[in-house]
Amino acid sequence: MTPSASSLSVFGLIKHAAHTEREWTDLMVEHVRPDALGYDETFLRGPGETLGDVIAAYDEIAMETERAVSAEPDLGRAVPVPKGVPWFPDDVDGWSVRWVLLHIIEETARHAGHADIVRESIDGATAFPLMAAAEGRRPSQLVVPWTPARAYDAPGIGRPRGRR
């Protein structure tokens, strides 16, 4: 479901974040994969691909990253910067492993924020009520745990009635 003028979806953002982490980890361990997706493809659902598939792949990629970090003896080691890639600077020869890991965290946080905006446009839930619901908290003067709406204002994507 893409609830905005762009093609962004929560599915696509999860797939892209997973793919991006794998590319950075591969760069860090100097591993080349012949089957790399094009940038735009990382946001799109492939034939027969399910959300479960994408989440399982992300879990696998996270384990690869964890193994790479555990095996790395020097977080200051230089990781070569690919040349001729439009979003990489031509005047930098390498970033440290530490920089790469912080960049993976930054990319994940950025795309999690995008996913949160997309999701909020679908169900209207905001961060604190969602966390209160996830943690099973009781309503307070400041926060009422979110509950899903049962009806929508219009067919397709609309604002939930009784938004909490």
Side-chain angles (χ1 to χ4, degrees):
M1 176 182 271
T2 54
S4 65
S6 78
S7 62
L8 284 182
S9 68
V10 174
F11 179 100
L13 287 161
I14 293 169
K15 181 177 176 178
H16 174 75
H19 179 77
T20 300
E21 181 169 332
R22 175 169 271 157
E23 282 193 330
W24 279 105
T25 301
D26 284 351
L27 187 64
M28 186 174 69
V29 298
E30 300 179 37
H31 180 258
V32 178
R33 292 180 196 266
D35 59 345
L37 295 174
Y39 178 81
D40 290 341
E41 292 173 285
T42 66
F43 288 99
L44 302 175
R45 186 172 155 194
E49 193 172 38
T50 68
L51 181 58
D53 296 335
V54 171
I55 291 172
Y58 206 168
D59 286 344
E60 178 185 320
I61 292 162
M63 287 187 289
E64 289 173 13
T65 301
E66 188 173 333
R67 283 190 297 271
V69 172
S70 294
E72 179 58 56
D74 180 11
L75 296 179
R77 178 180 62 82
V79 175
V81 175
K83 299 301 178 193
V85 179
W87 46 85
F88 291 146
D90 287 330
D91 60 342
V92 176
D93 292 326
W95 288 303
S96 69
V97 170
R98 182 179 290 103
W99 185 96
V100 170
L101 295 173
L102 288 172
H103 188 66
I104 289 171
I105 294 167
E106 173 194 30
E107 285 282 330
T108 302
R110 176 183 304 116
H111 294 308
H114 296 152
D116 192 42
I117 291 167
V118 170
R119 188 220 26 85
E120 184 179 341
S121 72
I122 294 168
D123 62 22
T126 57
F128 290 119
L130 274 173
M131 289 304 301
E135 294 167 357
R137 287 196 262 144
R138 294 182 178 179
S140 72
Q141 290 180 317
L142 299 175
V143 178
V144 175
W146 181 80
T147 56
R150 297 178 188 252
Y152 285 90
D153 296 327
I157 299 169
R159 282 295 201 207
R161 292 186 189 152
R163 182 175 161 185
R164 295 184 179 123

